[in-house]
Amino acid sequence: MIEVIGLHKAYGPRLALRDVSFNVAKGEIAAFLGPNGAGKTTTMRILTGFLPADAGEVRVAGFDVFDDPHAVRQRVGYLPETPPLYPELSVGVYLDFCAELRGMARKDRSRRVGETMERVGLVGWERRLLGSLSKGYRQRVGLAQAILHDPPVLILDEPTSGLDPAQVAGIRDLVLSLAGDHTVILSTHILSEVEALCPRAVVIANGQIVADGAIEELRGRAAGGPWTYVEVQGIEGPQLGRLPGVKLVEPLGEVNGWAAWRVRAEGDPREGLAASAASGAFRVRALERRLPSLEEAFISIVGREGTAA
Amino acid sequence: MSTVFTIWKKEMRVYAVNPTAYAFLAVFLFLSGLFFFLGITLTGEASLRVLASNLAIVELFILPMLTMRHFAEERRQGTLEMLLTSPISPFALVLGKWLASVTLCGLMFLGTAILPAILAYYGDPDWGVVASTYLGLLLAAAAFCAAGLFSSSLLDDQLAAGLLGIVFLLPFWLVSRAEALVGDELAERVRPFGVLNHLDSFGRGIVDSADVYYFAALAFCFLFLTYRALESRRWR
């Protein structure tokens, strides 16, 4: 549904994107992750046809963004980083204007605007001026504007930035309800949100795609990969490290008199550890396979300096 | 065409609640009244001659201020991003905004309709001349609004855009009265570009197609430049 091949974009001497390529399949929700200034917004602006690219190919819903921008615009709903609102218009008038911009007939307009307002939780707000809305409501109106014409492709630039946890949950439910018949690409740097929403993440840093895959896969690959959490008694670190298959042990402190360790091994060491414990070498009460957290994965992928911003 | 109307309607809505628009409308009406009064008392004739030539200058300063908001503000609010990613052509956007500002000028002139009414009460004005004077002022307004839109499409800052619009228009005023500055021969050559020369015949009741074309060409050039400025989008 979204195909990006070899995208390059420079702002003057500064290269913003270099050789960016990725695909998003129909009905998929993909997260676009990366530190601030990595090129997320630039990529999204190119996807919507707002910015031209210097080189590369972008196809959205089967149409080339550069050759046939009109067809793409009809099929894309876009929420820019700051919701595009006219402070002097009311919610109802604004959404009606947006519907008209998308070429909806008068009789469909009021129905669609009503439905959309219900969907994003704006019922009873149609007469409020946009300039008087709080951040959360501004974001809702921005989202309403993006889904108004029921576009097959949704591009959301930081849809939850600056919202409180309840509002974030609301937007998350909304995006989840759109999955299936809509292809969604959303950028964010809130990692817990990615795990809750998107099975798939594309990670960008310094204008380049540095990782692309299922969240589990990224976590498994990054930061040294999967590891085993153990809580043991009656064995010291060096002995634990000499057990068959074990490559590395790191202390994680003590939990109620039990020593906790992070064990890295060739393959899955749990069976071997359990067998050693059963033979009476030591006592064990926890033996758990774990993946690095998305935070750890993210930092190991984009590098520490990337997250400082 | 319907998208032009959509934009027009939205702009008229925004004008209706925009305090700046009312402030400039008030200034315009005040100056109209002032020049009308001076014209009548100085010349003693029942005509809009003095008013018309001065009002053209007032337009030159006020209209860029009235249109400065259009693209500068859309860009600041981020709404330009939405408009340009909507399935409407940038040309419809430019045209809709221009027609809205020209409509507002029309409403402003409607507000000055009391002045010819006063003439009719006390004297016997030539209605043909009154009509052609208004037509000339409206054509000039249409061209000036286009220049204001162009400057607004170039700059992010509203006020700077308004001032730049005036800067764009000043030469068209100066070349109409260039004799004292550059000597007769050169003045003769640049005069065809002057705004006031083209307004003169309207003020005498003559609607010359050359004058109409002049204002149409001026408006077209500025609208085309606005369109190109939006299309290129190389800012940032």
Side-chain angles (χ1 to χ4, degrees):
Chain A
M1 208 60 175
I2 301 174
E3 290 169 72
V4 179
I5 305 160
L7 213 53
H8 278 270
K9 171 79 187 171
Y11 294 114
R14 198 172 68 82
L15 204 55
L17 297 179
R18 69 195 97 181
D19 200 24
V20 166
S21 303
F22 62 90
N23 279 305
V24 184
K26 187 174 188 306
E28 197 177 8
I29 304 184
F32 209 42
L33 278 178
N36 291 326
K40 300 189 294 278
T41 298
T42 300
T43 308
M44 291 187 148
R45 285 182 163 169
I46 292 173
L47 288 182
T48 56
F50 180 64
L51 278 183
D54 297 335
E57 232 180 281
V58 180
R59 293 178 75 78
V60 175
F63 295 92
D64 190 291
V65 171
F66 310 118
D67 293 341
D68 203 352
H70 195 77
V72 170
R73 284 170 195 167
Q74 277 174 325
R75 289 165 179 81
V76 167
Y78 176 39
L79 172 64
E81 212 169 347
T82 35
L85 309 179
Y86 296 100
E88 53 280 84
L89 297 185
S90 70
V91 174
V93 167
Y94 169 75
L95 289 177
D96 187 62
F97 166 66
C98 293
E100 215 178 322
L101 272 185
R102 276 75 186 250
M104 269 182 237
R106 180 181 290 272
K107 58 181 195 310
D108 300 335
R109 269 191 340 246
S110 61
R111 183 180 52 82
R112 268 306 288 178
V113 168
E115 281 171 15
T116 309
M117 290 191 29
E118 208 174 296
R119 193 147 194 195
V120 300
L122 280 170
V123 175
W125 287 71
E126 50 266 70
R127 300 182 70 86
R128 283 288 292 267
L129 285 184
L130 294 170
S132 71
L133 296 184
S134 67
K135 174 90 185 148
Y137 277 93
R138 296 170 67 88
Q139 202 75 26
R140 284 188 207 192
V141 177
L143 203 60
Q145 163 276 128
I147 63 174
L148 198 55
H149 49 309
D150 202 26
V153 175
L154 272 170
I155 296 177
L156 311 174
D157 199 351
E158 307 211 349
T160 57
S161 74
L163 301 188
D164 68 42
Q167 291 167 332
V168 170
I171 298 236
R172 200 170 55 209
D173 293 345
L174 180 69
V175 172
L176 280 175
S177 76
L178 293 168
D181 22 297
H182 298 75
T183 306
V184 184
I185 176 159
L186 63 92
S187 78
T188 178
H189 42 236
I190 304 168
L191 297 169
S192 59
E193 192 174 285
V194 177
E195 295 200 280
L197 270 175
C198 314
R200 156 94 184 282
V202 177
V203 186
I204 186 168
N206 289 320
Q208 278 174 304
I209 302 285
V210 289
D212 179 357
I215 301 280
E216 292 295 302
E217 197 186 309
L218 294 185
R219 285 175 57 190
R221 242 180 23 213
W227 51 282
T228 305
Y229 175 85
V230 298
E231 283 178 19
V232 291
Q233 271 181 348
I235 185 167
E236 295 302 316
Q239 293 160 269
L240 197 59
R242 278 195 292 278
L243 289 174
V246 174
K247 286 200 306 197
L248 191 72
V249 294
E250 291 165 49
L252 295 174
E254 215 190 73
V255 188
N256 305 329
W258 292 74
W261 295 91
R262 181 202 300 266
V263 176
R264 295 196 185 276
E266 205 78 60
D268 189 345
R270 285 179 297 179
E271 207 178 340
L273 289 171
S276 316
S279 70
F282 57 93
R283 287 186 302 287
V284 63
R285 72 162 192 180
L287 202 55
E288 226 177 283
R289 184 89 167 149
R290 288 192 180 171
L291 287 174
S293 74
L294 193 56
E295 274 85 356
E296 288 168 317
F298 182 74
I299 289 169
S300 86
I301 291 169
V302 305
R304 287 226 171 248
E305 76 281 18
T307 56
Chain B
M1 225 44 221
S2 69
T3 50
V4 175
F5 179 65
T6 304
I7 299 291
W8 179 86
K9 210 166 57 179
K10 179 240 142 198
E11 293 304 332
M12 292 313 287
R13 272 199 170 112
V14 172
Y15 270 136
V17 294
N18 187 335
T20 329
Y22 287 102
F24 283 114
L25 181 65
V27 171
F28 182 79
L29 290 179
F30 169 75
L31 291 175
S32 308
L34 184 68
F35 289 126
F36 176 74
F37 170 75
L38 290 176
I40 298 290
T41 47
L42 289 178
T43 65
E45 54 180 75
S47 84
L48 297 175
R49 206 157 49 84
V50 176
L51 170 68
S53 58
N54 284 300
L55 223 43
I57 311 298
V58 173
E59 278 183 356
L60 192 148
F61 285 98
I62 280 192
L63 296 186
M65 294 310 212
L66 211 58
T67 50
M68 67 185 180
R69 204 198 77 244
H70 280 284
F71 291 106
E73 191 66 1
E74 298 268 10
R75 189 144 56 211
R76 200 188 56 75
Q77 281 166 188
T79 42
L80 193 63
E81 202 167 340
M82 179 191 78
L83 293 174
L84 293 179
T85 53
S86 300
I88 62 162
S89 82
F91 197 70
L93 178 63
V94 174
L95 208 57
K97 280 176 172 291
W98 178 66
L99 287 176
S101 52
V102 174
T103 308
L104 189 72
C105 292
L107 293 174
M108 269 171 31
F109 290 134
L110 218 55
T112 66
I114 187 164
L115 305 175
I118 293 171
L119 285 186
Y121 188 79
Y122 290 104
D124 186 18
D126 182 333
W127 289 108
V129 174
V130 169
S132 71
T133 302
Y134 269 112
L135 177 66
L137 285 174
L138 192 64
L139 284 171
F144 294 173
C145 285
L149 283 179
F150 175 51
S151 65
S152 182
S153 71
L154 294 177
L155 295 175
D156 283 356
D157 184 82
Q158 277 198 52
L159 195 58
L163 295 174
L164 183 66
I166 295 172
V167 170
F168 284 155
L169 290 173
L170 280 177
F172 293 98
W173 175 29
L174 293 179
V175 297
S176 337
R177 298 284 185 266
E179 294 86 350
L181 295 173
V182 296
D184 286 340
E185 200 191 326
L186 187 56
E188 202 57 50
R189 228 174 266 175
V190 294
R191 187 164 301 144
F193 298 99
V195 167
L196 296 183
N197 309 74
H198 289 281
L199 275 174
D200 283 345
S201 45
F202 285 106
R204 291 196 305 270
I206 303 159
V207 179
D208 187 340
S209 56
D211 297 325
V212 176
Y213 290 149
Y214 168 80
F215 288 114
L218 207 57
F220 177 81
C221 287
F222 279 121
L223 289 180
F224 182 72
L225 288 171
T226 312
Y227 168 73
R228 294 300 300 171
L230 283 183
E231 275 286 87
S232 69
R233 280 179 237 148
R234 301 293 174 191
W235 34 272
R236 254 173 187 258

